[in-house]
Amino acid sequence: MSHSINSHLSQFAEALFQARTHKTPIVQFTQTMPDFSIEDAYAVQRISLEADVGRGKKVAGYKMGLTSKAKQRDVNVFAPIAGYLTTDLEIALGDPLETASRIHPRVEPEIAVVIKRSIAGAKRIADLPHCLEFIGPAIEVLDSRYKDFTFRLPDVIADNTSASGFIMGSTNYLNRLDDLALLGVALKSNGEILETGAPAAVLGNPLISLLKLIQFLEKQNLLLEAGQVVLTGAITASIPVKPGDWIEMIMPNSVMRFSVV
Ligand code: OOG
Ligand code: MG
């Protein structure tokens, strides 16, 4: 990390915070600073997390992103990324999604987990199920703080992977982990199916995404703890939403519906 960039990291976190607060998108950092690195970007994300905690927010868990080819193609960035979730980002199932507090929101279907007991040293999928309380459908709300919802890899990492909200479903697939990867997902907008997929799109199995997150956190001496939520990454491309839309995510034994206002 060069010195000149290092001194900019707090300013970058502040610029992203201002963009989020005032709903004014900013120019991608990589446009003006081509050597802005992935390491710098995670440092900006870390500064934002600490600032959010300083503002009284609480960490709800973490998210993986760009874990499916569909998503990677969607935003033209081809590597998995991780971000954090705060409790205020959760939207209750059935509540309307507000656009007024966002710049250019999109939604995407995911598999989420809730942790039952701390997971340390997990190496294989088989190490995970007994540590989970829930695994099931969730919808993530994204809102890039960059102009035109475009970015390169370090930009989107710095912007906490576009995190803007999440809605947890209630159907628990813990007792059908064997076929979870191949359970169908459909995303509808105003009654029309816009995206379909299966959780296998996420690195072959969303639990592989969870393993990647655990390993990423372990490098920072962090553990997933009981009650924390993890979004494993979108199964399909995201869809833009606007006031008046009616969104549905359908999976076996699960329909999640909300309106956009
Ligand atoms: C980046 C965040 C990606 C996912 O699930 O793939 C993400 C973006 O698309 O803005 O959350
Ligand atoms: Mg996502």
Side-chain angles (χ1 to χ4, degrees):
M1 190 187 303
S2 75
H3 176 73
S4 66
I5 284 192
N6 195 12
S7 61
H8 281 95
L9 298 180
S10 299
Q11 289 170 30
F12 285 4
E14 179 61 21
L16 287 162
F17 175 69
Q18 293 301 330
R20 174 160 46 118
T21 309
H22 301 294
K23 293 167 287 156
T24 313
I26 56 176
V27 172
Q28 298 73 11
F29 300 135
T30 55
Q31 297 252 334
T32 49
M33 201 163 289
D35 55 350
F36 183 55
S37 69
I38 291 171
E39 190 197 353
D40 296 332
Y42 276 113
V44 171
Q45 197 192 105
R46 189 85 218 155
I47 292 167
S48 300
L49 190 162
E50 280 159 16
D52 275 348
V53 169
R55 292 177 194 111
K57 298 191 181 196
K58 293 189 168 47
V59 174
Y62 299 91
K63 57 166 284 192
M64 291 293 286
L66 309 184
T67 47
S68 67
K69 286 282 182 281
K71 267 301 303 192
Q72 293 181 346
R73 287 190 209 108
D74 186 19
V75 294
N76 203 33
V77 176
F78 294 87
I81 54 180
Y84 65 92
L85 299 169
T86 50
T87 54
D88 60 302
L89 292 182
E90 183 162 7
I91 301 164
L93 182 56
D95 277 5
L97 170 61
E98 294 189 3
T99 55
S101 57
R102 297 179 166 88
I103 302 166
H104 33 209
R106 299 180 176 184
V107 299
E108 55 188 19
E110 307 216 4
I111 295 296
V113 304
V114 178
I115 306 300
K116 181 159 80 183
R117 60 175 73 97
S118 273
I119 308 180
K123 298 267 174 301
R124 301 169 306 133
I125 286 183
D127 300 331
L128 298 174
H130 71 284
C131 297
L132 301 182
E133 183 171 299
F134 173 86
I135 180 162
I139 294 171
E140 181 171 26
V141 182
L142 298 177
D143 193 26
S144 177
R145 269 60 67 164
Y146 299 111
K147 289 194 167 158
D148 306 321
F149 215 118
T150 61
F151 39 72
R152 295 178 62 218
L153 179 59
D155 300 310
V156 67
I157 292 168
D159 187 21
N160 192 25
T161 67
S162 311
S164 181
F166 63 98
I167 307 164
M168 299 292 288
S170 56
T171 302
N172 199 337
Y173 296 129
L174 255 190
N175 60 359
R176 54 188 303 182
L177 286 176
D178 290 349
D179 63 353
L180 168 74
L182 292 173
L183 298 180
V185 180
L187 186 64
K188 285 188 182 183
S189 175
N190 305 319
E192 188 184 6
I193 293 190
L194 296 187
E195 297 290 342
T196 58
V202 176
L203 300 172
N205 186 323
L207 290 176
I208 294 177
S209 177
L210 179 59
L211 278 177
K212 270 192 183 291
L213 176 72
I214 290 166
Q215 285 152 15
F216 171 81
L217 293 175
E218 275 174 0
K219 286 194 205 125
Q220 308 163 61
N221 291 314
L222 291 170
L223 284 184
L224 286 174
E225 288 162 18
Q228 287 187 328
V229 171
V230 176
L231 300 179
T232 58
I235 296 162
T236 70
S238 61
I239 60 170
V241 292
K242 58 178 189 318
D245 284 349
W246 182 244
I247 306 296
E248 282 178 293
M249 172 180 172
I250 302 166
M251 283 196 73
N253 305 311
S254 169
V255 181
M256 296 174 65
R257 284 194 186 92
F258 58 91
S259 61
V260 182
V261 295

